[in-house]
Amino acid sequence: MQAVGLITEYNPLHNGHRYHLRQAQQLTNADCVIVVMSGDWLQRGEPAILDKWTRAKLALENGADLVIELPVFFATQPAHLFARGGIELLSALDCTSVVFGAEHPELDFQRLATAIAARQGSFTHYNATFATQFNAALQAATGVTLTAANDMLSFCYYAANQTLAHPMQLLPIKRRQADHATTTIAADSRYASGTAVRQAALAQDWAALKPVVPADTFTALTTQRLQRWSDFWPFLQYQLLTVDVARSGQYDQMAEGLEYRMQAMAQHATTFDDFIHQVKSKRYTYTRLQRVATAALLQLTQAEVQKAQAHNYLRVLGFTPKGQAYLHQVKKQLPLPLYTKINQDLRQHALNLDYRAGRVYQLINGQSQDLYRQPWRLPVTIG
Amino acid sequence: MQAVGLITEYNPLHNGHRYHLRQAQQLTNADCVIVVMSGDWLQRGEPAILDKWTRAKLALENGADLVIELPVFFATQPAHLFARGGIELLSALDCTSVVFGAEHPELDFQRLATAIAARQGSFTHYNATFATQFNAALQAATGVTLTAANDMLSFCYYAANQTLAHPMQLLPIKRRQADHATTTIAADSRYASGTAVRQAALAQDWAALKPVVPADTFTALTTQRLQRWSDFWPFLQYQLLTVDVARSGQYDQMAEGLEYRMQAMAQHATTFDDFIHQVKSKRYTYTRLQRVATAALLQLTQAEVQKAQAHNYLRVLGFTPKGQAYLHQVKKQLPLPLYTKINQDLRQHALNLDYRAGRVYQLINGQSQDLYRQPWRLPVTIG
């Protein structure tokens, strides 16, 4: 059996994702479609609208054969680390190829990644102006600048892939939505951006939503509690009001002095949006601030995140019979630990950051995220 | 002018407290009645039912001339430290005498305190069995055992007082309620325990409450939001779910290994009472556990509490004209800093623990506890 891999967030899974899943299989003729997916906290530093179990099930119902959780210490990171974590997991599962969307799939990402490899040390360490520094280096080395989010992410997949002993085949494909940030759902369209889908769901605009998401996603969005940052704001504010700045200065991705600014703004801010707006300055992007806010909420320190990143693992969220057969095939030679259930030891050690991330999410959605959960086995056969 | 001092919590101020205030003045014929009062967090490790400003105003309306806040790093401590903090403040204000209630005021506390002074080192450091160790030492030195809460506190006042260069005159008086823990309000009685008053207020049993509290207290209890531990439970649970045990092990009054137990019980507990009940064992009293829970909620570490205890201060919550005149008289020779308003520097440094304690309380009651607040000046003269 051969496998194709995807690195995803599915926040939530919409028709564009479904199309992408099918295209990945058709393009590669793979026997098994493997999805690495962020858990309850996402790359833009925000909670997923639906929890990881619901989103994993939707993936299995719409073309995935095996869903693996991207641990929180990679999922809530800047593009190059997010990409590194995902590529590492797909490679560990011996995927032959990886398919992903890009705004400009015609770009020669391989050439760009090779050209910049020598300069890697100068920008792989995260800081306030990562995107700027990255593009300066890329511009200097190749004359090219990447501005679109998925072009940049695509580049990061190439950069991560080329560090592997056995690189996978990378297949960038055209995204169905040119503009990731389009926030409206066009009439008569079967496709919309994730942002538009989330806005429609939160506004309970079911009529607009229905045409652009699979039936299972529609059911999930109409029946489950939908999470957003404002749900967690009371906890974040409380945290920033009580933590010592010597401690908050150690939170992951915190910039020098930002801990004081966050502490000061937490005193009077009344909502999460208000808070981020007050903290915002030219030095920090909104995404960066949201990621720091996520680290603060989860009390993730830079030290524990970096330590965890050196010990990636395969956490199984679900599989189809094909996915199970594939897992069985590769099980014996896996270079990373494989976890299907969480026990007391994993909760306190190897999986402690994911457990913590899920437990905080659970404070709002009320569904256990780790304890007592077992991977989905789809399709469910009755009888 | 001469002053008499009281060390109080007023949770909330009831007829017994009012009687005590008048008796203190009459007994000493003092010109000024000074009250040192816990702020928003109390000695038993719980939030005050009414905030410190409301309670300070009630004190001024019922016989106090000057109200000083006992800082949180003394207020939420075991008896000997609570007493030390209070005695230090009254002594700094040059009080001539201190009046306090005891179950057995006829005891020769002075003799007991003197007898045990030599052994002090063996029990003044807080640990799981402070009361037991204390009584063992007292028993060995004097043949006496103190079991009633206010007898023990009285002893601690004597012990703290005798370490002063100029000890004050201490006057223990009989409490009007023999049993501090009586939880019901007797029909036709004008007096009830604090526990009974709080229970009636939380149950909105206004008919039972009215005869046993001053009119101002009655108004406050019927019109203001009443705080209790359950209000803060979501924040405490969130904190215990996200904090690293290496960090929570540093919280003030945490016992060895207790941080693991608290973390484990926080996973499944659904209410504060449920949580404390699950954590409870023979090794820890309920009061001890509540104090540790308070430290966890406020993220107070043992290191910062001990550091703060070496820098006590006089935070003024309110005064009458007599209190103001007395303050004016002693102002020039105060051995401790006097604060009447909080500014940015005080908030971040000298008063940061009290500010934090008040800011968390404010998350529930919605009233600023420090910023923009000025001492009460009573009586208010209109026109």
Side-chain angles (χ1 to χ4, degrees):
Chain A
M1 292 177 83
Q2 289 214 331
V4 59
L6 290 79
I7 300 172
T8 70
E9 300 217 292
Y10 294 159
N11 186 40
L13 189 139
H14 54 59
N15 286 346
H17 297 129
R18 183 185 168 93
Y19 170 83
H20 181 211
L21 275 159
R22 307 212 155 181
Q23 217 185 1
Q25 196 280 324
Q26 287 164 7
L27 203 61
T28 59
N29 205 23
D31 308 297
C32 177
V33 177
I34 300 180
V35 161
V36 165
M37 188 187 79
S38 300
D40 292 326
W41 298 90
L42 308 180
Q43 205 255 328
R44 288 176 55 84
E46 59 193 13
I49 192 167
L50 294 168
D51 73 17
K52 62 189 182 188
W53 294 99
T54 305
R55 283 154 48 240
K57 188 153 175 276
L58 291 174
L60 294 168
E61 288 164 338
N62 288 280
D65 293 306
L66 174 60
V67 182
I68 302 290
E69 179 176 358
L70 182 64
V72 66
F73 44 82
F74 281 119
T76 60
Q77 296 293 318
H80 65 295
L81 292 169
F82 177 89
R84 193 185 107 194
I87 289 291
E88 187 176 23
L89 295 182
L90 293 178
S91 166
L93 285 166
D94 201 24
C95 285
T96 306
S97 53
V98 184
V99 175
F100 43 87
E103 286 82 359
H104 304 94
E106 67 281 9
L107 282 168
D108 188 349
F109 291 109
Q110 185 63 56
R111 182 181 67 83
L112 301 180
T114 306
I116 213 170
R119 303 181 180 231
Q120 203 135 355
S122 64
F123 65 90
T124 52
H125 288 292
Y126 185 82
N127 60 53
T129 55
F130 171 74
T132 312
Q133 271 193 246
F134 161 77
N135 266 311
L138 190 67
Q139 173 74 29
T142 67
V144 171
T145 304
L146 296 179
T147 50
N150 287 281
D151 285 345
M152 178 130 160
L153 200 50
S154 297
F155 170 87
C156 291
Y157 293 142
Y158 276 87
N161 190 53
Q162 73 182 5
T163 68
L164 299 174
H166 302 286
M168 300 171 284
Q169 183 188 16
L170 301 190
L171 299 167
I173 59 174
K174 183 78 179 169
R175 286 175 63 87
R176 282 205 71 101
Q177 284 74 43
D179 187 358
H180 187 52
T182 307
T183 58
T184 53
I185 298 178
D188 303 323
S189 174
R190 289 192 55 241
Y191 296 94
S193 71
T195 306
V197 168
R198 287 191 295 280
Q199 286 200 0
L202 292 169
Q204 305 195 314
D205 185 357
W206 307 129
L209 193 66
K210 196 159 192 175
V212 299
V213 295
D216 299 313
T217 299
F218 187 74
T219 302
L221 289 172
T222 51
T223 57
Q224 296 202 20
R225 196 189 191 292
L226 308 182
Q227 277 61 237
R228 50 184 132 177
W229 244 121
S230 58
D231 293 315
F232 298 92
W233 163 244
F235 297 116
L236 176 66
Q237 184 183 32
Y238 154 75
Q239 184 60 34
L240 293 172
L241 291 176
T242 52
V243 71
D244 193 272
V245 283
R247 172 82 180 161
S248 58
Q250 296 168 4
Y251 287 153
D252 187 50
Q253 302 174 56
M254 189 65 83
E256 205 183 319
L258 181 57
E259 66 271 32
Y260 292 93
R261 193 172 169 86
M262 284 196 152
Q263 190 203 46
M265 300 313 173
Q267 305 300 325
H268 304 290
T270 53
T271 65
F272 179 73
D273 290 345
D274 179 28
F275 170 69
I276 291 289
H277 189 74
Q278 284 189 43
V279 174
K280 181 80 175 75
S281 78
K282 280 188 181 170
R283 295 184 59 190
Y284 317 112
T285 62
Y286 277 108
T287 303
R288 165 72 179 279
L289 293 177
Q290 292 204 154
R291 280 202 289 261
V292 176
T294 301
L297 178 73
L298 303 178
Q299 296 206 52
L300 292 172
T301 65
Q302 187 179 47
E304 62 188 355
V305 165
Q306 289 185 348
K307 190 177 157 207
Q309 285 172 343
H311 299 91
N312 208 355
Y313 48 77
L314 295 155
R315 170 81 188 279
V316 182
L317 295 180
F319 43 75
T320 63
K322 265 195 239 171
Q324 187 172 20
Y326 185 82
L327 255 189
H328 187 75
Q329 174 185 306
V330 297
K331 215 170 192 172
K332 296 250 166 78
Q333 316 102 47
L334 291 176
L336 295 178
L338 178 78
Y339 300 123
T340 53
K341 270 185 286 187
I342 192 167
N343 58 27
Q344 168 101 336
D345 179 61
L346 291 176
R347 171 172 86 72
Q348 294 182 336
H349 300 101
L351 295 186
N352 73 325
L353 301 189
D354 269 331
Y355 177 76
R356 195 193 298 170
R359 193 61 189 75
V360 171
Y361 193 87
Q362 185 183 333
L363 286 174
I364 301 299
N365 95 329
Q367 305 296 315
S368 178
Q369 293 301 300
D370 289 292
L371 295 180
Y372 321 121
R373 298 298 295 244
Q374 298 199 23
W376 297 110
R377 292 162 172 267
L378 258 68
V380 178
T381 48
I382 298 164
Chain B
M1 292 178 83
Q2 289 213 332
V4 59
L6 290 80
I7 300 172
T8 70
E9 300 217 293
Y10 294 159
N11 187 39
L13 189 139
H14 54 59
N15 286 346
H17 296 128
R18 183 185 168 93
Y19 170 82
H20 181 211
L21 275 159
R22 307 211 156 184
Q23 217 184 359
Q25 196 279 324
Q26 287 165 7
L27 204 60
T28 60
N29 205 23
D31 308 297
C32 177
V33 177
I34 300 181
V35 161
V36 165
M37 187 188 78
S38 300
D40 292 326
W41 298 90
L42 308 180
Q43 205 255 330
R44 288 176 55 83
E46 59 193 13
I49 192 167
L50 295 167
D51 73 18
K52 62 189 181 188
W53 295 99
T54 304
R55 283 154 47 240
K57 188 155 176 276
L58 292 173
L60 294 168
E61 288 164 338
N62 288 280
D65 292 306
L66 173 60
V67 182
I68 302 290
E69 179 176 357
L70 182 64
V72 66
F73 44 82
F74 281 119
T76 60
Q77 295 293 318
H80 65 295
L81 291 169
F82 177 90
R84 192 186 108 195
I87 289 291
E88 187 176 23
L89 295 182
L90 292 178
S91 165
L93 285 166
D94 202 24
C95 285
T96 306
S97 54
V98 184
V99 175
F100 42 88
E103 286 82 359
H104 303 93
E106 67 280 9
L107 283 167
D108 188 349
F109 290 110
Q110 185 62 56
R111 182 181 66 83
L112 300 180
T114 306
I116 214 170
R119 304 180 180 231
Q120 202 136 356
S122 64
F123 65 90
T124 52
H125 288 292
Y126 185 82
N127 60 53
T129 55
F130 170 75
T132 312
Q133 272 193 245
F134 161 77
N135 267 312
L138 190 66
Q139 173 75 29
T142 67
V144 171
T145 303
L146 297 179
T147 50
N150 287 282
D151 284 345
M152 177 129 162
L153 200 51
S154 297
F155 170 87
C156 291
Y157 293 142
Y158 276 87
N161 190 53
Q162 73 182 4
T163 68
L164 299 175
H166 303 286
M168 300 172 284
Q169 182 188 17
L170 301 190
L171 299 167
I173 58 174
K174 183 79 180 169
R175 287 175 62 88
R176 281 205 72 100
Q177 284 73 44
D179 187 357
H180 186 52
T182 307
T183 58
T184 52
I185 298 179
D188 303 322
S189 174
R190 288 192 55 241
Y191 296 94
S193 71
T195 305
V197 169
R198 287 191 296 279
Q199 286 199 0
L202 292 169
Q204 305 195 313
D205 185 357
W206 307 130
L209 192 66
K210 197 160 192 176
V212 298
V213 296
D216 299 313
T217 298
F218 187 74
T219 302
L221 288 172
T222 51
T223 57
Q224 297 201 20
R225 196 189 191 293
L226 308 182
Q227 277 61 237
R228 50 183 132 179
W229 243 121
S230 58
D231 293 315
F232 298 92
W233 163 244
F235 297 117
L236 176 66
Q237 183 183 33
Y238 154 75
Q239 183 61 241
L240 293 172
L241 291 176
T242 52
V243 71
D244 193 272
V245 283
R247 172 82 181 161
S248 58
Q250 297 168 5
Y251 287 153
D252 187 50
Q253 302 174 56
M254 188 66 82
E256 204 183 319
L258 181 57
E259 67 271 32
Y260 292 94
R261 192 172 169 86
M262 284 196 152
Q263 190 203 46
M265 300 314 173
Q267 305 299 324
H268 304 290
T270 53
T271 65
F272 179 73
D273 290 345
D274 179 28
F275 169 70
I276 291 289
H277 189 74
Q278 284 189 44
V279 174
K280 180 80 176 75
S281 78
K282 280 188 181 171
R283 296 184 59 189
Y284 317 111
T285 62
Y286 277 108
T287 302
R288 165 72 179 280
L289 293 176
Q290 291 203 155
R291 280 202 289 260
V292 176
T294 301
L297 178 73
L298 304 178
Q299 295 205 52
L300 291 173
T301 64
Q302 187 179 46
E304 61 188 356
V305 165
Q306 289 185 348
K307 191 176 157 208
Q309 285 172 344
H311 299 91
N312 208 354
Y313 48 77
L314 294 156
R315 171 81 188 279
V316 181
L317 295 180
F319 43 75
T320 63
K322 265 194 239 170
Q324 187 172 21
Y326 185 82
L327 255 189
H328 187 74
Q329 174 185 307
V330 297
K331 215 171 192 171
K332 295 249 166 81
Q333 317 101 46
L334 291 176
L336 295 177
L338 178 78
Y339 301 123
T340 53
K341 270 185 287 186
I342 191 166
N343 59 26
Q344 168 100 337
D345 179 60
L346 290 176
R347 171 172 85 72
Q348 295 181 336
H349 300 100
L351 265 56
N352 73 325
L353 301 190
D354 269 331
Y355 177 77
R356 195 193 297 170
R359 193 61 189 76
V360 171
Y361 193 87
Q362 185 183 334
L363 286 174
I364 300 299
N365 95 328
Q367 305 296 315
S368 178
Q369 292 302 299
D370 289 292
L371 295 180
Y372 321 121
R373 298 298 295 244
Q374 298 197 24
W376 298 110
R377 291 162 173 268
L378 258 67
V380 178
T381 48
I382 297 164

